[in-house]
Amino acid sequence: MEKHPERTRQVLVSAAAGLIADGRFADAGLANICRAAGVSRGALYHHFGSIAELVAGVYQQASERVDGLFEEAFEHPATEAPAEFSITLGAALLDERLVRAGVQIGPGGTDDPPRLREEVLAKLRERVIANGSGHANDIDCAADLAVVITAGLESLGHADAYWWQPKTARRIWDMVQQLDQS
């Protein structure tokens, strides 16, 4: 009997996340995951019924992590929250393979939409609208702008991690806030 089943499950999730985060979704195949995790195929199938189920586990953990970042950011005043979320998401994408992999996959363990990325952007827009005060058109524009900046930084960072650095995102958000005050 296996002594540490939860540890083995986590090693498998981490291995799959690392392969997806540092390569492509297709890199998270059976042989590569087992090699990266240092386990046999039998061990993988003992813990997960399929590769899709394992990748869904990556999604689940990444979703929980991003939800935590989201809730922390929205503890700030409504005007600062979108920037705080964008900045902390970028930092997590830069430093955490789980988050980097998670934004690329959906709840079913595939890379088909809707992926965590799309879910997060929709949630960001909804929260900005819910927290907004003032004219509905202005709130919609602010929500769209928050999504565009966050999506842009997330997308650009996949090619150049400069865009995920907190100082880069902070500089951009500061400029947006200055323009808003003009």
Side-chain angles (χ1 to χ4, degrees), residues 82-92 153 164-167 169-170 173:
E84 288 304 316
F85 176 68
S86 183
I87 292 163
T88 58
L89 177 63
L153 291 170
W164 288 338
Q165 295 175 11
K167 66 180 181 176
R170 173 63 63 203
W173 278 102

Side-chain angles (χ1 to χ4, degrees), residues 30-90:
L30 177 66
N32 287 344
I33 293 170
C34 290
R35 187 177 317 110
V39 302
S40 68
R41 292 175 185 205
L44 186 147
Y45 285 119
H46 174 75
H47 293 283
F48 297 96
S50 65
I51 298 300
E53 185 180 317
L54 168 58
V55 175
V58 173
Y59 167 88
Q60 182 61 39
Q61 288 185 21
S63 179
E64 290 170 5
R65 175 70 175 120
V66 172
D67 282 348
L69 297 174
F70 193 84
E71 293 308 320
E72 285 176 27
F74 278 86
E75 290 175 357
H76 290 85
T79 57
E80 297 172 17
E84 288 304 316
F85 176 68
S86 183
I87 292 163
T88 58
L89 177 63

Side-chain angles (χ1 to χ4, degrees), residues 104-107 110-115 118:
Q104 300 177 54
I105 56 181
T110 70
D111 62 345
D112 295 331
R115 294 175 297 257
E118 288 86 13

Side-chain angles (χ1 to χ4, degrees), residues 21-22 92-104 158 164:
D22 296 337
L93 288 164
L94 184 63
D95 297 333
E96 301 175 32
R97 293 166 127 185
L98 179 69
V99 174
R100 211 166 42 249
V103 297
Q104 300 177 54
H158 286 286
W164 288 338

